[in-house]
């Protein structure tokens, strides 16, 4: 139902071009949004990722075609091919395209992967002690770039660089007081930006879990254990992921849920600690999904998820109060966050994560 709601409310042909499909970023949409004057590269990457989730859950020709169509349309709307100036954006798209090819055999995205892999690998900057900047020529090296880039590069066979990134994140941006991962650091000045976002925890949990599988080195599993405990203590209430917003922030909690499900399914080890970690990760996903579903609105028979899964969703009154780009390049929340595609994608992402842990009996 979460999938169906996005398909019916948000998916539209790009500029009336036949054989294209992309997500309109608001519902109800402004004229500019309907015309894809705003389209938000990284939101669409998560739309592709969710479409892959759905095809993996119940493979159908329609679902496979949808993945290929959205990916192709993403490249068309991006005007200059697959890449842009933001390493975090490119990393999210690389993750989605790699999964599309590996799990659904969609080989037409291979050119995109090759185009994205190079800047993600070459952007690493040993001159300032390592790290991938947020965007080209920036002095800001943050978790939202290094976390997903490490996941993408690991899955593309660049294990050593992925491990370097994970080690850098742990050494540079883990808060010794809370155990949570901070947003980023300016280099070479060393000034740390201290906001804590749920998706930063998610991507680090994801890459450390996959490195634990690939390398067998104990430090990766130990980091998952430590960070998972910090997430449970500081970022959940009664097992439900706290808060949530709109705009770019609308995706943050859904991304955490995706990688909590990955911990639940993939974290290696038969010791009581690892079994407990897998159960804890699954329990947060299940509790959050139950809350989000209980607090949804039904609009024409389809769910509209709230931006905060623990509170009842709000129906957008129309297209007024749409989010906008900031000078820094981020997207603000709509006045009613529920109208943002990011918030609804997060709900869909959460439901797919809950399906995975439930299907695994966790």
């Amino acid at each position: 139902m979460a999938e169906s709601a996005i398909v019916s409310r948000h998916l539209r042909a790009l500029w009336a071009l036949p054989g294209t499909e992309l997500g309109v970023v608001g519902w109800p949409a402004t004229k500019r949004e309907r015309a894809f004057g705003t389209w938000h590269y990284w939101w669409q990457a998560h739309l592709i990722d969710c479409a892959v989730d759905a095809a993996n859950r119940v493979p159908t020709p329609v679902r496979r075609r949808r993945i290929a169509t959205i990916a192709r349309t993403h490249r068309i709307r991006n005007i200059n091919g697959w890449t842009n100036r933001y390493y975090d954006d490119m990393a999210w798209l690389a993750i989605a395209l790699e999964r599309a090819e590996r799990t659904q055999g969609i080989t037409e995205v291979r050119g995109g992967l090759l185009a994205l892999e190079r800047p993600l690998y070459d952007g690493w900057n040993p001159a300032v002690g390592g790290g991938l900047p947020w965007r080209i020529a920036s002095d800001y090296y943050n978790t939202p770039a290094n976390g997903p880039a490490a996941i993408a590069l690991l899955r593309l066979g660049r294990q050593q660089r992925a491990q370097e990134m994970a080690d850098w994140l742990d050494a540079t941006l883990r808060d010794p007081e809370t155990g949570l991962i901070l947003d980023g650091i300016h280099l070479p000045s060393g000034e740390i930006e201290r906001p804590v976002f749920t998706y930063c925890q998610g991507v680090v949990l994801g890459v450390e879990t996959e490195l634990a599988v690939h390398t067998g080195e104990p430090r990766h599993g130990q980091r998952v254990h430590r960070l998972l405990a910090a997430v449970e203590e500081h970022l959940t209430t009664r097992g439900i992921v706290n808060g949530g917003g709109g705009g770019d922030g609308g995706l943050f909690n859904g991304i955490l849920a995706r990688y909590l499900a990955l911990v639940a399914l993939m974290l290696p080890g038969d010791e009581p600690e690892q079994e407990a970690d897998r159960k804890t990760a699954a329990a947060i996903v299940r509790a959050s999904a139950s809350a989000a579903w209980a607090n949804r609105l039904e609009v024409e028979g389809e769910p509209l998820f709230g931006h905060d899964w623990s509170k009842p969703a709000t129906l957008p009154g129309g297209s007024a109060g749409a989010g906008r780009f900031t000078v820094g390049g981020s997207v603000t929340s709509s006045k009613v966050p529920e109208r943002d595609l990011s918030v609804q994608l997060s709900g869909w992402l959460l439901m797919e994560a809950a399906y995975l842990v439930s299907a695994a009996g966790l």
Side-chain angles (χ1 to χ4, degrees):
M1 290 180 74
E3 173 193 13
S4 174
I6 297 268
V7 169
S8 63
R9 291 188 194 125
H10 291 273
L11 290 197
R12 295 287 181 273
L14 172 69
W15 304 327
L17 295 170
T20 63
E21 203 166 42
L22 210 57
V24 176
V25 297
W27 179 85
T30 65
K31 191 173 179 182
R32 180 175 173 77
E33 289 167 343
R34 279 196 302 275
F36 293 101
T38 51
W39 70 296
H40 311 331
Y41 180 115
W42 85 282
W43 296 16
Q44 309 292 335
H46 286 282
L47 174 61
I48 297 169
D49 226 4
C50 284
V52 173
D53 291 338
N56 289 344
R57 173 170 42 84
V58 184
T60 67
V62 169
R63 287 191 171 101
R64 281 193 79 250
R65 275 199 306 274
R66 180 173 294 135
I67 297 164
T69 300
I70 298 170
R72 184 171 62 250
T73 309
H74 191 289
R75 180 179 52 78
I76 295 168
R77 177 56 188 85
N78 198 44
I79 310 295
N80 60 345
W82 294 100
T83 61
N84 73 3
R85 294 179 59 243
Y86 293 83
Y87 288 108
D88 55 346
D89 284 6
M90 291 190 283
W92 294 120
L93 184 58
I95 288 172
L97 297 186
E98 189 279 333
R99 290 184 70 226
E101 183 182 55
R102 172 169 47 87
T103 69
Q104 291 297 317
I106 298 172
T107 54
E108 61 211 78
V109 302
R110 167 68 14 197
L113 281 172
L114 292 171
L116 293 162
E117 181 182 356
R118 172 155 292 199
L120 293 176
Y121 187 82
D122 291 347
W124 180 257
N125 189 356
V128 293
L132 184 72
W134 170 51
R135 63 181 173 190
I136 292 168
S138 172
D139 79 332
Y140 192 50
Y141 292 72
N142 67 355
T143 307
N146 286 271
I151 293 169
L153 290 171
L154 180 58
R155 294 176 182 177
L156 291 167
R158 304 278 201 166
Q159 182 176 305
Q160 185 177 347
R161 177 53 50 80
Q163 198 158 14
E164 285 179 306
M165 287 178 155
D167 290 343
W168 180 88
L169 282 163
D170 186 69
T172 311
L173 291 175
R174 180 170 57 85
D175 181 3
E177 290 182 20
T178 63
L180 295 169
I181 305 298
L182 302 174
D183 190 57
I185 184 170
H186 295 272
L187 292 172
S189 76
E191 180 195 349
I192 291 179
E193 301 271 357
R194 303 189 65 82
V196 170
F197 298 118
T198 48
Y199 73 147
C200 293
Q201 321 314 310
V203 290
V204 171
L205 286 169
V207 72
E208 295 288 6
T209 296
E210 293 197 31
L211 283 168
V213 172
H214 283 277
T215 69
E217 293 181 18
R219 72 178 185 275
H220 299 299
Q222 289 161 4
R223 289 174 189 167
V224 171
H225 175 71
R226 189 175 59 202
L227 181 54
L228 183 61
V231 166
E232 186 181 29
E233 180 182 354
H234 298 289
L235 300 180
T236 69
T237 303
R238 294 185 300 279
I240 301 163
V241 177
N242 290 341
D248 283 340
L251 275 160
F252 293 178
N253 286 357
I255 291 166
L256 174 58
R258 175 183 293 287
Y259 293 105
L260 284 170
L262 188 145
V263 171
L265 293 166
M266 282 184 63
L267 184 67
D270 299 321
E271 298 297 319
E273 181 178 286
Q274 288 119 15
E275 288 187 9
D277 286 345
R278 289 191 291 268
K279 286 180 180 174
T280 296
I284 296 170
V285 171
R286 284 201 325 273
S288 298
S290 296
W293 188 254
N295 285 305
R296 78 194 186 283
L297 285 173
E298 286 280 341
V299 183
E300 296 179 343
E302 292 175 331
L304 184 85
F305 294 105
H307 66 282
D308 181 334
W309 296 330
S310 68
K311 297 176 182 174
T314 301
L315 183 69
S319 61
R324 54 184 172 72
F325 271 111
T326 67
V327 176
S330 60
V331 180
T332 65
S333 173
S334 292
K335 189 174 181 182
V336 177
E338 281 79 352
R339 75 175 292 278
D340 292 342
L341 172 62
S342 57
V343 172
Q344 302 312 314
L345 281 174
S346 227
W348 180 9
L349 220 166
L350 174 64
M351 295 302 142
E352 297 285 2
Y355 165 78
L356 287 174
V357 300
S358 302
L362 290 163

